[in-house]
Amino acid sequence: MESSVNQNEAKPESVDSASAPVFPPTFSVSEIKNKQRRHLMFMRLKQEKRREKLSLKKKRRKEREALGDEAPPKPVPKTIENQRVYDETTVDPEDEEVAFDEGTDEFSAYFNRLTNPKVLITTSDRPRGRTVRFCQQLATIIPDSHVYYRRGLALKRIIPQCIARGFTYLIVINEDRKVPNGLVLCHLPDGPTAHFKVSSVRLRKEMKRRGKDPTKHTPEVILNNFTTRLGHSIGRMFAALFPHDPEFVGRQVATFHNQRDFIFFRFHRYIFKNEKRVGIQELGPRFTLKLRSLQKGTFDSKFGEYEWVHKRHEMDTSRRKFHL
């Protein structure tokens, strides 16, 4: 009898030991020298943490169901966006100083409807097929844009010719290893000049489920999340590429979306399915821009004055600090 009682008393202890955490709190996988053993223990530790997270989630859900309407609101998950460090240069739309600067900057003639955009698109010397096709597709998006090949001419010689012929923008597409990797956007005749890194380029033939080729209608322009003074200047540069009055009949939209200092470009056509539902159809191309520098005046690599330059090794390396 005593032995059976001892066995029955020993069962709860074994259950408790099974439910107890497998790893001690001071356990470190990096201390294990054997690679296979270390990987195995890391996977077990990962599974253990996942189980704890799921059990805690179920417990909170039961508590919320029990409390009903009296349950506290769900906590907002932490993301890089909502944990962003506040920038002192964030633009207030009603700020009189900002309104005065916009009324006297290089783009004021465009926004006062005194000029119409005319864009010249060119490339680096000896462009390859992919870069040429990228320029041609850009020309179908930006109205009144013309593609010319440099033929060895320096940009300092091209800019006076553009000004004499009434161009308001010069776009230069650079390439590396047959892939577009840089974009210079120069506003004429007084600047500024922005240099972007180009990545994730996908041409129309490389996109799945794309719509038909775009029409010649002037698209609408959407600028998202350009909140700082620097971002406001870049947004105005993009806006001045397109004519003032979009043609809504074409149902085409060019979007520049800034997120964590990466500018994502998309070109869509929206389709009315019925009176309440609207769908969008991507036309392409798509690409991503990263601002490298903003220079006053037209392009001058030697004596140009820079308003802003991207510093790769800044003192503040926080992932939560953005500039646009």
Side-chain angles (χ1 to χ4, degrees):
M1 290 292 291
E2 292 180 359
S3 61
S4 62
V5 170
N6 292 334
Q7 289 177 0
N8 293 333
E9 290 177 356
K11 286 180 182 179
E13 293 180 3
S14 61
V15 172
D16 293 340
S17 62
S19 61
V22 178
F23 303 101
T26 58
F27 177 76
S28 178
V29 179
S30 60
E31 296 177 358
I32 302 174
K33 295 183 179 180
N34 186 283
K35 184 178 180 180
Q36 294 180 347
R37 181 70 177 171
R38 184 170 64 246
H39 177 70
L40 179 64
M41 296 301 288
F42 173 74
M43 296 304 295
R44 286 184 182 176
L45 184 64
K46 199 172 181 180
Q47 291 176 0
E48 184 68 26
K49 288 182 178 179
R50 189 182 295 119
R51 288 195 204 100
E52 291 177 2
K53 191 175 181 179
L54 287 174
S55 62
L56 184 62
K57 193 175 182 180
K58 289 179 181 178
K59 182 180 177 182
R60 288 177 179 173
R61 188 188 303 154
K62 289 181 180 179
E63 290 177 355
R64 291 184 63 83
E65 290 175 356
L67 292 173
D69 297 336
E70 297 179 357
K74 289 184 178 180
V76 179
K78 290 184 178 181
T79 62
I80 296 179
E81 291 293 330
N82 61 25
Q83 297 295 312
R84 174 177 180 172
V85 176
Y86 177 75
D87 196 324
E88 296 178 354
T89 64
T90 301
V91 173
D92 184 2
E94 299 179 357
D95 192 346
E96 295 181 358
E97 183 182 352
V98 173
F100 177 78
D101 291 343
E102 290 179 357
T104 57
D105 67 359
E106 298 89 345
F107 310 105
S108 58
Y110 166 81
F111 286 99
N112 291 330
R113 295 178 176 264
L114 300 177
T115 60
N116 292 318
K118 185 179 179 182
V119 183
L120 185 142
I121 302 174
T122 186
T123 63
S124 56
D125 293 334
R126 299 178 183 178
R128 300 293 180 173
R130 184 176 171 83
T131 304
V132 172
R133 290 193 297 272
F134 182 51
C135 293
Q136 292 171 348
Q137 293 182 14
L138 278 181
T140 61
I141 296 172
I142 305 171
D144 199 8
S145 58
H146 309 269
V147 180
Y148 290 99
Y149 302 111
R150 285 176 62 176
R151 298 174 183 173
L153 286 174
L155 286 181
K156 287 187 178 181
R157 294 182 60 187
I158 295 175
I159 289 172
Q161 296 180 19
C162 292
I163 296 173
R165 297 182 184 183
F167 286 98
T168 60
Y169 268 103
L170 172 64
I171 298 177
V172 183
I173 306 296
N174 297 317
E175 69 174 9
D176 182 34
R177 298 179 183 177
K178 304 180 183 181
V179 177
N181 73 328
L183 185 146
V184 177
L185 184 61
C186 181
H187 182 258
L188 303 174
D190 301 320
T193 302
H195 178 225
F196 298 93
K197 176 187 175 183
V198 181
S199 60
S200 305
V201 177
R202 294 189 66 181
L203 303 178
R204 288 185 182 127
K205 286 189 176 180
E206 301 168 356
M207 298 174 61
K208 296 180 180 179
R209 300 178 183 177
R210 68 178 181 89
K212 295 181 180 179
D213 290 343
T215 59
K216 294 183 179 180
H217 296 90
T218 303
E220 303 171 55
V221 181
I222 297 176
L223 302 170
N224 283 337
N225 207 21
F226 293 92
T227 55
T228 64
R229 292 296 292 266
L230 177 63
H232 214 58
S233 300
I234 298 300
R236 286 169 69 84
M237 285 190 75
F238 290 137
L241 280 169
F242 298 86
H244 299 281
D245 300 316
E247 297 174 348
F248 298 103
V249 178
R251 298 176 284 113
Q252 297 177 156
V253 184
T255 304
F256 295 90
H257 176 72
N258 173 42
Q259 186 172 0
R260 304 176 193 172
D261 287 350
F262 288 93
I263 302 170
F264 301 93
F265 176 81
R266 299 291 185 269
F267 192 57
H268 291 94
R269 178 187 291 126
Y270 52 89
I271 303 169
F272 294 102
K273 297 182 179 180
N274 52 43
E275 295 180 355
K276 295 183 179 180
R277 295 182 61 194
V278 179
I280 58 174
Q281 191 178 49
E282 189 170 0
L283 305 179
R286 63 162 66 173
F287 53 90
T288 305
L289 301 175
K290 176 78 171 178
L291 182 65
R292 291 303 183 192
S293 65
L294 182 65
Q295 180 182 353
K296 291 183 179 180
T298 56
F299 180 81
D300 189 350
S301 58
K302 289 186 178 180
F303 306 105
E305 181 183 355
Y306 289 88
E307 295 184 25
W308 183 84
V309 178
H310 173 67
K311 298 179 182 178
R312 296 184 62 184
H313 304 287
E314 292 183 273
M315 292 296 292
D316 186 3
T317 57
S318 173
R319 294 176 59 198
R320 298 180 296 160
K321 187 174 182 180
F322 308 112
H323 303 281
L324 296 183

